Amino acid sequence: MNGFHAARRACEAAGAHPDATGRPLELQRDASAEPPRLVPAEALESDVLRVRAAGPADGALVSAFLDGRQESRVVAHAGLVPIVWGHVGAVVRQRSDRRLVTWPGGLRMRAGLWAPRPAIPPGLWSALQAAQPLTDLADGEAIGDVHPFAWHDRAYHAVQEAREDLERSLADAWVAAPAGVLYVDGGLPKAERVARSLDVLGVVKTHRSLYVPSDALGLLAGLAVGERTTAVRVTSARRTAVASWYARRHDARGRDPLFGLVRLEAALPDGEPPAAFTARADRLTRMVLAEAAPLALPDPRWPVMAYGIRDCEEVLRAVMG
Amino acid sequence: MSDSAPVPAVLGRVVATEKRPNTPHQFHFWTAVEAPVGIGTIVRVHGTHPVAGHVPVIYGVITEALGYTDLESPLHDVLGADGSPARGGEAPTRRAEIRLYTAAVLRQVPDEPMQPVPMGEVFLATDADVAVALRMDGYLRDGARTGIPVGVYTAGGMQAPIHLDAEFLLGPEAAHCTITGVSGLATKTSAVEFLLQAIFAHFPAAKGRVAAVCFNVKGPDLCFLDLPGELDDADRALYAALEVPAEPFARVRYFAPYTARGGVLNTARAHPALLHNVAPLTWGLTEVLQYAEVLLNKDDVDAKADALIDFIREQVVERPFTDARLSRAHTVRSFAELDDWFKDILRALEQQDDQTWRTHHVATIRKVRNRLVNIATRCAGLVTDDGTSSDLPFEGGFDDRTVYVVDVANLEEDAQDLVFARIVSRLREQLERRALGVDHVIVFVDELNKYAPSDGPDTYVRQMLLDVAERGRYLGLVLFGAQQFRSQVHRRVVGNAGTSLFGRMDADELAAPGYATLSPAIRTKLSALEKGQLMVRHPHFTQPVFVKFPRPAVLRGRDGATRYPREQDAELDRAVFARLRALEPATTLPYVQDLLALHDEREVLKALRQTELARPEDPRAFLQSRLGRKVKAAARPEGRLPVQAGPADDPYGVGG
């Protein structure tokens, strides 16, 4: 058992000072801490960003949904240094006869402890390692003067990476034997094969980074349901470049201009004729728009969240506890 | 289980939360949306861990069902469909949906220690599981089989026969059965007919002989039990599953009073083709006076009147009676003779200008005379004025596995009460003496809420039914009662019934406090049961069980009445002809018409009654002997009357 309480008992048995009171690190983080920014991006379908209709619904649907979940909590302390218990999971839920079921082999989970090895007495480290899967937050490097709270942040990111690894592995498995388009919550996973696959679609719900020039912001605000922007190339040093564009899932009249706005990510048109790419982007957009019902309520992110993603989260919540 | 035996499919999983915990008597489980389960389905739970060396197996019956989605508010669905119900079905994904069932524990194996139901896998109960769950295994084992099939449990494609324990249905452990259901759905009577067939087919011979006495209090429902009815393949399959012959009753005897005029029997069986097993039910003064309390209003007949009635019963009836003040000796055997006796007393009192006779005041005498003599009028057809009596074969003549139908549907309410009281009392007396011919008698009474109401006056009939309900099982006297409103039947009657059957129920009735122990879902199911479905409560079953039973293999009352229209005594000659021809096939209608022309109608009917009772070798000779010989007048020649010849020395010459 790798549950929180088992981990706490293991830590206590190993000689660490147990802590059953810590809040999940995810709740301690301020989501708005990421600075908002406009990211310049190369237009793909036209010289400048434009708006186009995605076309009438044609029954095209994604086949499955992928999402992950993480939880991390301080489970014990070695002096003031936190030992963090993390639990990550990812699941692919495939649609069959309008019901969602877990794709065979599509549920992966991992739990364990994260701590900076240099800051932990060797005996305790060995004991913890014997009891639970243990990851070194210092990544084998020496550490300098670090405020103990800073380990919280590092632990959170380490656990997040573990969750992204699971998502990536599942997306990769899907691409290896695709059975339609996989709807991934968030950007496309950092895997070359996934990022280049025509069978994977990323849908980003938050917009701290906007991939449009400032003079095109009005265009985003005016985007109507059923419309999309033309695509841009989104590049990153940490992953393969992808094509991305915006679409509106729900009418924003009388609401926040970003209400119902999602950003789609898909493989770049690698040798693909421009018209074919545009048709593919339109089709993927229609797939996303088709997922506007049923609403993902009661999740507060329902304007931008597909019901299939909420279903993934509910499954993970159920199996991860 | 052999290696080749199919592995049963998991139906669901037990779940429990702090708010909705499992207990030793109730548990919750979820299933796939399409799982073939519903209210009344019996399931089996496999424990996960051994307890005291045994992995517990729990059997339960579904009593409540919930279904819901992850929707927090119905409004969210409206919003998702833009207010259009049609669009709601267009969503590419159906919401996650749960089927959550609550089951009441029927049995835990082993019985001890009794713990909350574990979080195990749930399976549909097999036939064998059903037998264990309902504790039927205890009375269906070879060599000690006392099961009486009541119907088939059908759920998830199963067809498990459900048996009642004869020792708890017919005694001595428990007894009696009540059947409740709305009228008009052919459930109550059909259920009783089928149950009687099942009892006759399965009651162990070693447990004794059994017969049934059915009171037909309305309509022709019980009048064609010996004639085959229509069955379909589904019915025949149920009969086969329950191992009950799909045939009408082999032995049925009918008893019915005459019409008030006396020409024909007052029953739907009054058809020439059906009279072979119909006997008249007629009582004389002696029989009626034993149960005079049934017909006399307690408020009306006071202690003084009671004393006089007792005097008549003990000192007057069936014995020579002399009194110096009376004009003659009396031997009172009939109501007519009783009336003569009363008249003689009243005349004597008038002549002597006296107010009392043997301490009885003249007013009391007049009142008792009025009440008693009036019985013959109120019970016309049942009570004979001449004292002749035709009765059920109480003196050891009851046959095994025979139905005795007493058709009182056309009698007045008072007369029905009298019939009911006297027959049940006689059955009880004879069973006590073990002189009835059978060891168990099932008495079926419809409209039990009329005869044993929970409120209203404390009648003789109600007292008698209470007595049967409370003590009958020790004698072998078993009450099968049917009623539309169980809540209106005296609670000591229904409370003493070991077995209760419920057909479709009225919603108002289900709102009565007595049904509070049933879950809302079971009450809803009860209010919508189809024909041929019953909910069964039995001492061995810790929870009610739903079953299907086949249509009775007998001719339906309405069909019988259409096929065999009854004789009417408006045409007395034809009615008498039919009755006499049943005794003597060579009888002709002109012969009967001649009889009626020569004799008084009442004399003919009386003689016919006596002939029917005597069943002589030569019925017509016997009838004739009872009537006395009368010669039919010869036809006179036309013309002048013949004049006696005058004497030869006629001085007046009249002959000339």
Side-chain angles (χ1 to χ4, degrees):
Chain A
M1 292 288 288
N2 290 335
F4 174 76
H5 295 292
R8 185 174 60 82
R9 284 193 295 273
C11 290
E12 188 174 14
H17 183 71
D19 180 355
T21 60
R23 283 201 308 150
L25 300 182
E26 288 75 14
L27 297 181
Q28 296 177 33
R29 294 180 54 78
D30 181 1
S32 64
E34 184 189 345
R37 59 190 181 133
L38 293 179
V39 183
E42 175 195 347
L44 287 175
E45 294 178 275
S46 58
D47 297 339
V48 293
L49 209 62
R50 296 184 189 281
V51 171
R52 60 175 280 116
D58 57 357
L61 296 171
V62 297
S63 296
F65 299 85
L66 165 62
D67 196 11
R69 183 171 184 262
Q70 70 181 72
E71 184 184 357
S72 48
R73 291 170 68 177
V74 174
V75 68
H77 287 91
L80 282 179
V81 176
I83 300 168
V84 173
W85 168 81
H87 193 190
V88 296
V91 66
V92 173
R93 298 278 284 172
Q94 190 173 20
R95 186 152 41 207
S96 171
D97 189 23
R98 295 181 68 209
R99 292 197 183 281
L100 295 171
V101 294
T102 301
W103 183 52
L107 174 62
R108 296 181 184 179
M109 290 186 291
R110 179 189 160 197
L113 299 175
W114 276 260
R117 183 169 190 174
I120 305 289
L124 177 57
W125 181 268
S126 300
L128 289 174
Q129 202 166 32
Q132 295 267 314
L134 183 59
T135 305
D136 181 8
L137 284 177
D139 205 14
E141 296 176 4
I143 55 171
D145 295 333
V146 180
H147 189 289
F149 285 2
W151 293 117
H152 291 176
D153 210 34
R154 289 203 194 183
Y156 168 80
H157 284 293
V159 172
Q160 185 180 41
E161 277 183 27
R163 189 254 298 163
E164 288 173 353
D165 280 348
L166 291 184
E167 292 176 357
R168 186 164 48 245
S169 69
L170 278 175
D172 199 52
W174 178 270
V175 169
V181 174
L182 177 68
Y183 184 124
V184 177
D185 185 49
L188 287 181
K190 297 176 214 168
E192 177 84 12
R193 186 161 69 157
V194 173
R196 292 186 184 283
S197 171
L198 301 183
D199 299 309
V200 183
L201 163 69
V203 180
V204 181
K205 305 188 294 287
T206 57
H207 304 292
R208 299 292 293 177
S209 299
L210 285 171
Y211 294 87
V212 292
S214 58
D215 58 358
L217 287 176
L219 184 144
L220 274 190
L223 202 62
V225 174
E227 293 178 339
R228 70 171 178 95
T229 63
T230 49
V232 297
R233 176 193 297 269
V234 172
T235 56
S236 164
R238 295 186 297 158
R239 66 167 189 173
T240 309
V242 295
S244 183
W245 63 95
Y246 290 88
R248 180 85 68 185
R249 282 164 46 100
H250 293 285
D251 194 346
R253 276 176 294 185
R255 299 172 186 264
D256 181 329
L258 297 182
F259 180 86
L261 189 73
V262 291
R263 182 168 64 81
L264 287 71
E265 287 189 356
L268 281 169
D270 186 12
E272 191 178 17
F277 173 76
T278 295
R280 174 159 67 93
D282 285 346
R283 183 165 176 273
L284 290 173
T285 303
R286 291 197 296 272
M287 286 181 173
V288 169
L289 296 178
E291 299 301 332
L295 300 182
L297 281 164
D299 195 296
R301 299 165 295 173
W302 67 269
V304 288
M305 183 188 239
Y307 179 79
I309 297 301
R310 171 180 150 72
D311 179 81
C312 290
E313 292 191 356
E314 289 299 310
V315 169
L316 291 171
R317 201 189 320 277
V319 297
M320 292 171 66
Chain B
M1 189 180 289
S2 68
D3 292 342
S4 60
V7 177
V10 177
L11 178 76
R13 293 195 63 82
V14 177
V15 286
T17 62
E18 190 173 358
K19 286 183 179 175
R20 199 189 285 269
N22 291 336
T23 67
H25 58 84
Q26 189 183 64
F27 62 96
H28 313 282
F29 67 96
W30 65 270
T31 70
V33 172
E34 61 276 11
V37 295
I39 299 301
T41 302
I42 296 174
V43 295
R44 182 186 76 236
V45 178
H46 276 197
T48 48
H49 300 91
V51 177
H54 296 278
V55 176
V57 177
I58 294 91
Y59 301 92
V61 59
I62 295 174
T63 56
E64 192 57 273
L66 297 172
Y68 54 90
T69 68
D70 55 2
L71 206 56
E72 197 170 63
S73 160
L75 188 60
H76 295 169
D77 208 39
V78 176
L79 292 173
D82 281 343
S84 165
R87 284 196 58 190
E90 295 171 2
T93 305
R94 290 196 181 104
R95 284 186 175 277
E97 185 177 353
I98 185 171
R99 290 281 192 272
L100 182 65
Y101 295 95
T102 300
V105 172
L106 288 164
R107 188 176 186 181
Q108 291 208 17
V109 178
D111 294 325
E112 294 291 341
M114 205 169 189
Q115 296 189 338
V117 177
M119 305 302 121
E121 291 178 332
V122 181
F123 300 86
L124 264 182
T126 62
D127 290 6
D129 291 332
V130 172
V132 175
L134 300 178
R135 291 176 165 78
M136 296 191 299
D137 49 344
Y139 54 91
L140 292 180
R141 61 183 190 279
D142 289 340
R145 199 177 171 89
T146 54
I148 305 290
V150 68
V152 168
Y153 159 81
T154 57
M158 300 289 174
Q159 290 259 329
I162 302 297
H163 291 79
L164 306 175
D165 186 352
E167 298 208 337
F168 287 75
L169 181 63
L170 303 182
E173 303 296 343
H176 314 309
C177 177
T178 65
I179 302 142
T180 312
V182 297
S183 294
L185 282 175
T187 297
K188 298 194 292 287
T189 308
S190 297
V192 167
E193 288 170 356
F194 173 72
L195 191 55
L196 289 178
Q197 284 175 314
I199 289 169
F200 286 178
H202 286 261
F203 187 69
K207 295 282 175 192
R209 291 152 60 90
V210 60
V213 173
C214 300
F215 290 93
N216 188 52
V217 295
K218 60 179 184 183
D221 280 351
L222 296 170
C223 290
F224 307 99
L225 298 182
D226 53 344
L227 300 172
E230 281 184 20
L231 297 176
D232 58 22
D233 290 344
D235 291 318
R236 275 185 278 274
L238 286 173
Y239 275 103
L242 296 168
E243 297 178 3
V244 174
E247 297 164 359
F249 289 92
R251 288 176 293 278
V252 190
R253 291 182 62 186
Y254 285 89
F255 296 86
Y258 289 105
T259 56
R261 187 178 180 187
V264 292
L265 290 172
N266 203 355
T267 171
R269 296 273 306 186
H271 183 280
L274 304 179
L275 285 171
H276 60 280
N277 58 356
V278 186
L281 182 71
T282 56
W283 295 333
L285 175 66
T286 310
E287 290 80 12
V288 174
L289 216 52
Q290 287 171 339
Y291 300 92
E293 298 95 321
V294 179
L295 297 168
L296 301 178
N297 187 339
K298 285 280 179 196
D299 299 332
D300 201 20
V301 179
D302 52 18
K304 294 174 195 167
D306 265 344
L308 178 56
I309 293 169
D310 280 345
F311 175 81
I312 295 168
R313 199 185 278 144
E314 290 166 13
Q315 304 290 327
V316 179
V317 176
E318 296 283 354
R319 66 192 64 198
F321 182 85
T322 55
D323 185 285
R325 298 166 71 181
L326 299 186
S327 64
R328 62 182 175 88
H330 290 264
T331 300
V332 174
R333 293 193 186 86
S334 68
F335 279 95
E337 289 166 349
L338 178 65
D339 197 29
D340 288 343
W341 179 81
F342 271 119
K343 283 177 183 168
D344 204 1
I345 293 172
L346 293 171
R347 182 196 49 73
L349 290 173
E350 273 180 25
Q351 284 179 350
Q352 294 154 21
D353 196 20
D354 199 350
Q355 294 295 307
T356 57
W357 178 81
R358 294 198 179 192
T359 73
H360 303 292
H361 193 269
V362 65
T364 304
I365 295 169
R366 287 188 186 281
K367 183 160 80 175
V368 170
R369 178 201 171 203
N370 175 279
R371 301 296 183 272
L372 290 184
V373 174
N374 191 22
I375 289 175
T377 310
R378 285 154 67 194
C379 303
L382 170 69
V383 174
T384 55
D385 202 29
D386 55 21
T388 52
S389 170
S390 169
D391 219 342
L392 274 71
F394 291 117
E395 298 299 333
F398 268 62
D399 292 323
D400 192 21
R401 288 156 220 266
T402 303
V403 184
Y404 298 85
V405 179
V406 181
D407 189 358
V408 289
N410 301 306
L411 283 183
E412 294 294 324
E413 201 168 310
D414 283 351
Q416 285 189 351
D417 287 353
L418 175 65
V419 169
F420 188 67
R422 181 166 185 280
I423 289 179
V424 175
S425 298
R426 291 285 288 138
L427 289 172
R428 187 194 159 129
E429 287 166 18
Q430 294 302 90
L431 282 168
E432 270 180 336
R433 293 173 47 213
R434 308 197 68 76
L436 192 61
V438 294
D439 305 290
H440 307 269
V441 175
I442 298 159
V443 174
F444 171 54
V445 187
D446 201 353
E447 305 292 341
L448 200 56
N449 44 323
K450 189 172 100 180
Y451 296 107
S454 53
D455 48 19
D458 191 17
T459 63
Y460 185 93
V461 170
R462 186 168 81 168
Q463 277 303 323
M464 192 193 56
L465 282 169
L466 284 172
D467 186 62
V468 170
E470 288 169 345
R471 282 172 282 279
R473 66 189 168 106
Y474 301 111
L475 303 171
L477 188 56
V478 180
L479 181 65
F480 278 19
Q483 61 280 319
Q484 188 168 355
F485 305 112
R486 179 184 163 98
S487 62
Q488 294 176 15
V489 177
H490 199 289
R491 62 191 174 89
R492 280 160 57 198
V493 172
V494 292
N496 276 291
T499 303
S500 299
L501 308 179
F502 300 84
R504 186 189 293 184
M505 304 279 289
D506 184 83
D508 288 345
E509 170 68 4
L510 284 168
Y515 301 93
T517 54
L518 301 175
S519 73
I522 289 199
R523 290 201 294 267
T524 301
K525 179 161 180 164
L526 272 177
S527 69
L529 279 184
E530 292 180 3
K531 277 184 182 179
Q533 289 188 319
L534 291 174
M535 187 181 83
V536 182
R537 295 174 90 164
H538 187 60
H540 287 297
F541 308 163
T542 53
Q543 296 292 328
V545 178
F546 288 92
V547 300
K548 280 175 90 168
F549 69 97
R551 276 183 291 185
V554 301
L555 188 61
R556 291 193 311 163
R558 267 179 301 167
D559 295 343
T562 307
R563 194 179 303 174
Y564 300 101
R566 56 181 291 187
E567 296 279 348
Q568 302 295 329
D569 65 355
E571 296 172 331
L572 191 64
D573 52 352
R574 293 192 174 278
V576 172
F577 167 61
R579 285 170 61 183
L580 196 52
R581 200 173 58 168
L583 299 170
E584 170 56 72
T587 307
T588 61
L589 182 60
Y591 170 79
V592 172
Q593 287 168 335
D594 281 351
L595 274 182
L596 288 168
L598 285 169
H599 302 278
D600 178 72
E601 174 184 313
R602 281 181 302 176
E603 283 177 19
V604 173
L605 291 174
K606 179 180 171 184
L608 182 57
R609 271 203 303 275
Q610 290 168 342
T611 309
E612 285 171 329
L613 288 176
R615 301 254 162 190
E617 294 234 342
D618 185 349
R620 283 196 294 187
F622 185 88
L623 177 76
Q624 203 69 58
S625 70
R626 290 294 174 276
L627 287 169
R629 186 158 300 279
K630 282 189 180 178
V631 179
K632 192 175 179 180
R636 288 190 291 266
E638 293 292 326
R640 295 172 55 199
L641 286 169
V643 178
Q644 191 176 8
D649 53 346
D650 180 5
Y652 307 102
V654 293

